[in-house]
Amino acid sequence: MEISRRVILELKDKTDFVIATIVAHQGSTPRSTGTKMLVFPDGRTAGTIGGGVLEAKVIERCLVRLNQLKGELQSYQFTGKDAASMDMICGGEVLVLITCVPKSDSEFFNVQQTILTWEEKAQNFVEIIGLQDNGDCLYGGKNLSTSEEIGWIPQTSDVSIEAKTKFMTISGVSVFLEYHEPQTTAYIFGAGHVGQAIALFAKPVGFRVVVIDDRDEFANPDRFPQADEIIVTSSITDIFRERKFKTTDYIVIVTRGHLQDYQVLEQALQTDAGYIGMIGSRRKNYLIFQSLREKGLPEEKLQQVHAPIGLPIGAETPEEIAISILAEMIQHRANHRKG
């Protein structure tokens, strides 16, 4: 979303620039498919596609193409010293799509504004970039939630548009279809020290942050300035009656006591949340699980709970515990995107 915002700002400022997008990769590479970087006429950049030799070569090529206002596909292979300089153990190859955006391109501006609106509404959509043989670039998007289309849409059934990012050739045009799903939301139940640290670290790594607690002296903007939403409620489980949790939602249970942990977990297990994690010792979690089993909750549901929450890195302080939890959440999110 930050790249989309920056694109719109640059277009409003009437600036020519280039977008470099990794559209395919093999082997060991510093960044994955879909990673973008903006390159400006003075050599400034926004975003990164991995730094080091790769980025330097791409920037150099982008500046050449910017002078011509023509796009191109470039393949970059790294072995030996180049690979070592980028911490690529075995080397790798990336295919970079370079597309130029003239400051006068109002159609591209409209496409980007619409895409940003889809992002803000947490809708599923596909962003489309096309490159013709003559270097001219085509842009479009298709909203999978509403079927709305904007800009250039390839006239082919391939844009039935699978929920999958891919690069292909359609009617002689090189096409990159980038699938976007709603931003993952971290629902942090508990506004204590651990919850505060989780919220602090969750925002920079791409999670929308919602904090829930029954104490307004803890759950407030002064303690959670980075939170997208703060919910203070007489009962910490009220939220389960008020909203529907989706597979892109992460439920993090770090309340102040075992009873609240139990109550939240019992409700969380009846939702479609994609990740549920609960803090606590193995002994505490065992007792809570046993009680839920006695209530008839199926074992396969309980096995989906990350408890004790977080990767085992020997964390002790609230900040260390938060890092271990966020590391597990990032790992889960990455595995979900691959699968």
Side-chain angles (χ1 to χ4, degrees):
M1 186 181 290
E2 290 309 311
I3 288 290
S4 296
R5 292 186 191 280
R6 183 63 184 271
V7 163
I8 289 172
L9 285 174
E10 296 299 334
L11 286 170
K12 284 182 177 178
D13 289 342
K14 301 300 181 182
T15 305
D16 294 333
F17 59 93
V18 178
I19 304 175
T21 306
I22 296 178
V23 296
H25 70 285
Q26 289 184 334
S28 174
T29 59
R31 299 299 298 272
S32 59
T33 298
T35 304
K36 291 184 175 66
M37 175 177 68
L38 308 186
V39 181
F40 304 102
D42 59 2
R44 290 180 302 115
T45 61
T48 176
I49 56 172
V53 178
L54 169 63
E55 195 156 294
K57 289 185 175 182
V58 172
I59 292 171
E60 181 181 0
R61 194 61 196 162
C62 284
L63 292 175
V64 171
R65 302 307 289 177
L66 185 58
N67 287 331
Q68 303 164 354
L69 287 180
K70 294 290 185 180
E72 70 176 12
L73 267 175
Q74 278 284 330
S75 177
Y76 296 87
Q77 294 182 329
F78 295 92
T79 57
K81 290 182 180 180
D82 283 345
S85 72
M86 300 173 66
D87 294 327
M88 295 160 61
I89 297 173
C90 301
E93 180 179 1
V94 295
L95 186 62
V96 178
L97 178 61
I98 296 172
T99 52
C100 296
V101 182
K103 56 191 173 187
S104 58
D105 195 335
S106 58
E107 182 176 357
F108 178 78
F109 179 76
N110 292 335
V111 168
Q112 290 301 311
Q113 277 198 314
T114 300
I115 283 174
L116 184 59
T117 299
W118 293 344
E119 286 181 321
E120 291 173 340
K121 290 182 177 180
Q123 295 173 329
N124 293 290
F125 65 92
V126 171
E127 185 175 359
I128 305 167
I129 304 175
L131 177 67
Q132 300 184 94
D133 288 340
N134 63 1
D136 287 345
C137 304
L138 304 165
Y139 299 95
K142 182 178 177 71
N143 190 316
L144 304 183
S145 301
T146 66
S147 297
E148 179 185 359
E149 296 180 350
I150 186 167
W152 179 73
I153 305 293
Q155 298 303 309
T156 168
S157 60
D158 285 329
V159 191
S160 52
I161 295 186
E162 302 173 14
K164 183 179 179 182
T165 293
K166 56 186 176 181
F167 179 72
M168 62 178 68
T169 300
I170 300 176
S171 301
V173 180
S174 298
V175 180
F176 181 56
L177 304 176
E178 184 178 4
Y179 171 67
H180 295 260
E181 63 183 1
Q183 186 180 23
T184 49
T185 297
Y187 286 88
I188 303 171
F189 286 83
H193 295 306
V194 173
Q196 187 178 26
I198 294 170
L200 176 64
F201 299 141
K203 194 66 179 174
V205 295
F207 287 93
R208 182 174 179 273
V209 174
V210 179
V211 179
I212 308 102
D213 205 298
D214 56 1
R215 304 165 294 173
D216 56 9
E217 67 271 27
F218 282 84
N220 59 66
D222 289 337
R223 296 188 73 244
F224 291 90
Q226 66 289 324
D228 296 279
E229 187 178 359
I230 299 172
I231 299 172
V232 181
T233 174
S234 58
S235 173
I236 202 166
T237 58
D238 283 348
I239 188 173
F240 291 104
R241 292 194 295 271
E242 297 167 0
R243 69 181 63 184
K244 182 179 176 62
F245 287 80
K246 309 180 295 297
T247 56
T248 52
D249 293 330
Y250 286 50
I251 293 177
V252 181
I253 306 171
V254 289
T255 78
R256 66 179 182 274
H258 293 190
L259 178 59
Q260 281 195 336
D261 286 348
Y262 174 87
Q263 292 170 337
V264 173
L265 179 61
E266 182 179 19
Q267 295 298 315
L269 286 169
Q270 299 175 48
T271 72
D272 293 326
Y275 173 98
I276 301 172
M278 182 175 66
I279 200 168
S281 66
R282 295 186 184 281
R283 169 74 176 162
K284 170 207 141 178
N285 293 336
Y286 171 79
L287 292 174
I288 287 178
F289 278 29
Q290 279 296 94
S291 179
L292 291 172
R293 288 187 185 99
E294 291 170 4
K295 280 194 168 185
L297 266 82
E299 189 65 30
E300 59 268 23
K301 273 283 189 182
L302 295 174
Q303 291 300 318
Q304 296 172 11
V305 181
H306 297 260
I309 193 173
L311 298 183
I313 61 174
E316 294 183 359
T317 68
E319 292 77 16
E320 290 174 345
I321 293 169
I323 289 171
S324 76
I325 292 171
L326 261 298
E328 184 175 76
M329 292 166 64
I330 292 168
Q331 181 184 65
H332 184 275
R333 183 175 62 184
N335 290 337
H336 170 74
R337 285 172 176 169
K338 289 177 184 176

